Amino acid sequence: MNRWPDFLVIGAQKGGTTSLYHYLKQHPSVFLPQVKEPQFFAMAPRGDYFCGQGDASIERRLRIVFTEEDYLRLFADAKPEQKMGECSTYHLWSPDAPKLIHRKIPDVRMIAILRNPVDRAWSAFCHLQRDRRGESADFMEALENEPQHIEKDYNPLWRYVETGCYATQFKRYLEFFPRDQFLVLLNDELRDDPTATMHRVCEFIGVDNDFSFNFEKKLNVSGIPKFKVVHNVVKKQYAFKHTLKRILPLSVRRGISEWLFRNLMERKRMPDEARAHLEKKFRPEIDELESLMGLDLSHWKNS
């Protein structure tokens, strides 16, 4: 008999879902599919990939799922006693996901991990620049281009402001689900106190919260390449990477990966003009989110 997941991590994109996925995957009482972000509840109603530069090829590589049959097959190897879940960053943003989730799994537990939307927007921009997909290397110009990105149906990563409007997104979910079906985490909570944060996650999904997680590896950090030519060679040489996978143990490959990241990427500071613009833009959304979800976000307002 096909089983639907017991919990969903619904976003936010660039909020810390990659770390949460890898931490949860360590727990023996939790099953997460190998496809990290199936995005089914956002993508099934669309029926096709997004249209931004490189969107479709990346979404194919990530093995995004469009059909119910393919989605349920992802959980086929779960043990009966395991809690099943998945992490799809489009789901919080998607206007279509809440209704479909409610139709298929109305009692599902949902986790959202949120990042200051100003910093999240900058991280998305750096991600696109890192992958050489950004249409402009100027952040203010990229922000000005967002309406065109939306009109042309680009991936949420290109929608710097829209994707960070969390209150708007949660209001769509609360039309279908009660507040107690959500656990809302903040990105800095996971970063600063991962043990306590994962304790809350385990308690929420109903698994042993005394499990000891390994928090050593830093995952999916965005930066801008220092040396674009070298970065491209490393990024695109799949045959070379496949050879390394066969001859080197995982611990060595991870060490090489982390060294390359430290030496080929740099963390650039957001321009002051852009920060001031976004802080003003997001302030009403942050105020509403505090009230809507019972959060204290004063540190977002005084960052």
Side-chain angles (χ1 to χ4, degrees):
M1 180 179 177
N2 291 326
R3 289 172 59 199
W4 289 87
D6 303 290
F7 70 91
L8 302 172
V9 178
I10 58 175
Q13 197 175 37
K14 305 305 296 180
T17 56
T18 298
S19 294
L20 191 55
Y21 170 87
H22 286 284
Y23 298 155
L24 279 169
K25 205 160 176 57
Q26 298 172 26
H27 201 299
S29 297
V30 173
F31 178 87
L32 294 173
Q34 292 301 314
V35 176
K36 177 183 164 283
E37 299 185 43
Q39 313 288 15
F40 168 71
F41 293 103
M43 298 302 278
R46 290 176 50 84
D48 203 355
Y49 300 107
F50 285 100
C51 302
Q53 178 187 339
D55 284 351
S57 62
I58 287 173
E59 287 161 2
R60 287 190 190 96
R61 179 164 53 83
L62 294 175
R63 293 184 290 165
I64 279 175
V65 169
F66 290 95
T67 71
E68 182 174 316
E69 180 183 10
D70 287 342
Y71 183 68
L72 293 175
R73 192 180 294 123
L74 296 175
F75 304 95
D77 294 332
K79 298 174 183 175
E81 67 274 13
Q82 286 179 307
K83 294 288 185 181
M84 302 191 317
E86 54 104 338
C87 304
S88 291
T89 57
Y90 300 177
H91 285 169
L92 181 59
W93 161 85
S94 169
D96 301 309
K99 184 177 181 179
L100 184 56
I101 293 170
H102 186 262
R103 192 187 336 150
K104 297 297 183 181
I105 34 176
D107 297 325
V108 72
R109 314 223 88 191
M110 284 170 282
I111 302 167
I113 179 164
L114 307 181
R115 184 178 186 177
N116 183 324
V118 176
D119 297 325
R120 195 222 65 81
W122 174 245
S123 180
F125 171 77
C126 290
H127 185 120
L128 288 167
Q129 291 295 307
R130 181 194 72 190
D131 291 351
R132 299 189 72 188
R133 295 168 61 211
E135 294 173 341
S136 172
D138 180 270
F139 188 37
M140 284 300 295
E141 185 178 340
L143 292 172
E144 291 168 6
N145 290 339
E146 181 170 344
Q148 287 75 43
H149 297 163
I150 294 170
E151 183 181 353
K152 294 176 181 178
D153 195 30
Y154 282 22
N155 182 287
L157 195 65
W158 300 82
R159 307 180 187 208
Y160 309 109
V161 173
E162 185 183 83
T163 306
C165 291
Y166 306 136
T168 298
Q169 294 158 14
F170 273 114
K171 281 193 288 187
R172 292 196 287 255
Y173 272 90
L174 293 174
E175 291 178 16
F176 296 95
F177 300 96
R179 170 66 181 85
D180 62 8
Q181 280 182 233
F182 297 89
L183 174 64
V184 182
L185 307 171
L186 303 183
N187 173 272
D188 46 343
E189 293 175 335
L190 186 62
R191 181 194 65 218
D192 298 339
D193 194 350
T195 299
T197 304
M198 292 307 297
H199 182 102
R200 291 173 61 199
V201 170
C202 290
E203 195 170 68
F204 181 72
I205 64 176
V207 296
D208 175 21
N209 56 22
D210 289 328
F211 180 78
S212 295
F213 293 93
N214 178 358
F215 300 117
E216 287 181 9
K217 189 179 180 185
K218 201 170 186 180
L219 297 152
N220 201 27
V221 179
S222 293
I224 295 175
K226 293 179 186 176
F227 312 108
K228 288 188 177 180
V229 172
V230 179
H231 176 71
N232 277 344
V233 170
V234 171
K235 184 176 176 59
K236 292 183 178 180
Q237 294 302 317
Y238 299 116
F240 175 67
K241 286 194 249 185
H242 182 69
T243 301
L244 286 183
K245 193 171 183 179
R246 284 185 301 162
I247 64 176
L248 295 177
L250 178 60
S251 59
V252 175
R253 298 200 310 271
R254 282 179 174 168
I256 292 172
S257 175
E258 289 167 8
W259 182 90
L260 286 170
F261 179 84
R262 286 195 304 270
N263 287 275
L264 298 183
M265 306 295 283
E266 61 181 334
R267 307 298 303 282
K268 289 196 172 182
R269 185 173 177 271
M270 188 189 318
D272 292 340
E273 178 190 10
R275 180 170 286 280
H277 169 76
L278 288 174
E279 285 176 347
K280 183 177 180 180
K281 191 91 173 173
F282 282 123
R283 182 61 183 264
E285 278 279 333
I286 293 172
D287 288 340
E288 187 172 12
L289 181 64
E290 282 188 309
S291 173
L292 191 68
M293 303 306 285
L295 303 171
D296 177 5
L297 302 173
S298 53
H299 60 299
W300 284 6
K301 303 173 190 178
N302 302 303
S303 57

